[in-house]
Amino acid sequence: MSAPIDLVRADLRDFAGYRSARSDRLVGDVWLNANESAWPNVADDANIVRRYPDPQPEALRTRLATLYGCRPDQLIAGRGSDEAIDLLVRALCMPGQGAIVTTPPTFGMYAVSARLQGARVVEVPLIDDGANFHCDVDAVADAALASRATLVFLCSPGNPTGGAVPLDDVRRLAARLEGRALVVVDEAYQEFAPTPSAVSLLATCPNIVVLRTLSKAHALAGVRLGVAIGDADLIVVLRRCQAPYPLPAPCVALVERALGDGPLSRTEARTRECFGERARLADALRDAPGVRRVYPSVANFLLVRFDDAQVAFDALLSAGVVVRDVRAQPGLDDALRITVGRPDENDRVIAVLAGVFA
Ligand SMILES: *Cc1c(COP(=O)(O)O)cnc(C)c1O
């Protein structure tokens, strides 16, 4: 059985990265090794930002590992899952030579990171059967093998489609690509889905990496905290590729508070409220004039096709409601993505759309 680390760029396998002043585990009580200011900034009254932060605070990693059901050494924390995407592409794709596979319509950052690395993007579109989007994992495996791609990005629940890839399909894909590619399952919206996380597959499928984030269900987008979860040796490589002090101390402190006592019940309360509003908004939109289709969603947004998406977008905007125009994505030239808001916000969406095509 080949190790996931064999998929890392050959020229990076023994790359040590930058040795920051915090990476040596030295002990002392007079710290004069990092050229920080010896005097505090008056704005920093709690004295938490005078010094460089711990690159990967152990308490934070342990807390996140508990939250996501993995070991701390299987997890790297970074500036949102966007950074994890970028690290994976940089570590696994040779500049100007590598390739990744994506399944459009999907999240845009996979292609952005690949473009920045000079990696080719091979697209295997999701199949819209009229009711749902499906991922043809055998076609994805064929494309990955044919293009020698080292990364496959699945978004599940999918942004912007709102549908999930069944875990059995993820497992089959990972098995077919073992030793050839990593299967990255971006679970930014997993908290809104009824099915288990792909973290449960890590024990049997070493070439799976799962991305999670605090930006959506945890209501912490501004702290920029996301993680990649996978093979421990691969995580070590990703840490070496990461910028020296990725986690600002005030953000770590806020996350530790937010994930302190009973964090799950608070997140669950928010997601439960979101489920109710998601169902109510979907029902109302299905009845609205000018709406062609509302896709089922296991995320906190709805993908909606309109007779005239431009008219819907403009009407919402002039009522002060900003939604996401996804018409540039393949197969979605009549669609908008609408985040599930608070009840009064959803009422406004429903009222505008009921009026505009009536
Ligand atoms: C929002 C989103 C992200 C970005 O998450 P951050 O942790 O805020 O960087 C990643 N993937 C998908 C599919 C998203 O929709």
Side-chain angles (χ1 to χ4, degrees), residues 78-85 106-110 155-159 186-189 211-216 220-221 224-227 301 337:
R79 292 162 293 186
S81 30
D82 285 320
E83 184 182 22
I85 293 164
T106 192
F107 187 52
M109 280 308 294
Y110 317 133
C155 191
S156 179
N159 176 5
D186 185 342
E187 294 188 337
Y189 302 95
L211 306 182
R212 302 292 300 257
T213 178
L214 300 183
S215 295
K216 308 285 162 56
L220 296 171
R224 308 302 305 127
L225 201 299
V227 306
F301 55 80
R337 190 194 70 196

Side-chain angles (χ1 to χ4, degrees), residues 27-157:
V27 181
D29 58 356
V30 177
W31 288 92
L32 303 176
N33 68 335
N35 299 346
E36 298 141 331
S37 169
W39 299 271
N41 188 302
V42 287
D44 178 25
D45 29 20
N47 193 25
I48 53 172
V49 293
R50 178 163 67 93
R51 300 216 178 261
Y52 285 110
D54 185 336
Q56 291 284 298
E58 206 48 53
L60 177 73
R61 277 175 106 195
T62 302
R63 185 67 195 83
L64 291 168
T66 305
L67 182 62
Y68 296 130
C70 65
R71 296 191 316 269
D73 68 350
Q74 292 177 298
L75 175 148
I76 178 173
R79 292 162 293 186
S81 30
D82 285 320
E83 184 182 22
I85 293 164
D86 191 56
L87 288 173
L88 285 162
V89 171
R90 282 195 287 154
L92 278 92
C93 297
M94 276 296 258
Q97 294 176 29
I100 70 165
V101 177
T102 66
T103 60
T106 192
F107 187 52
M109 280 308 294
Y110 317 133
V112 168
S113 290
R115 174 95 190 268
L116 287 166
Q117 185 72 356
R120 198 148 58 88
V121 179
V122 177
E123 297 187 333
V124 180
L126 299 174
I127 297 160
D128 183 0
D129 71 2
N132 264 309
F133 283 90
H134 299 278
C135 180
D136 180 348
V137 289
D138 289 308
V140 169
D142 292 342
L145 294 170
S147 62
R148 298 177 167 272
T150 47
L151 283 171
V152 171
F153 285 96
L154 300 181
C155 191
S156 179

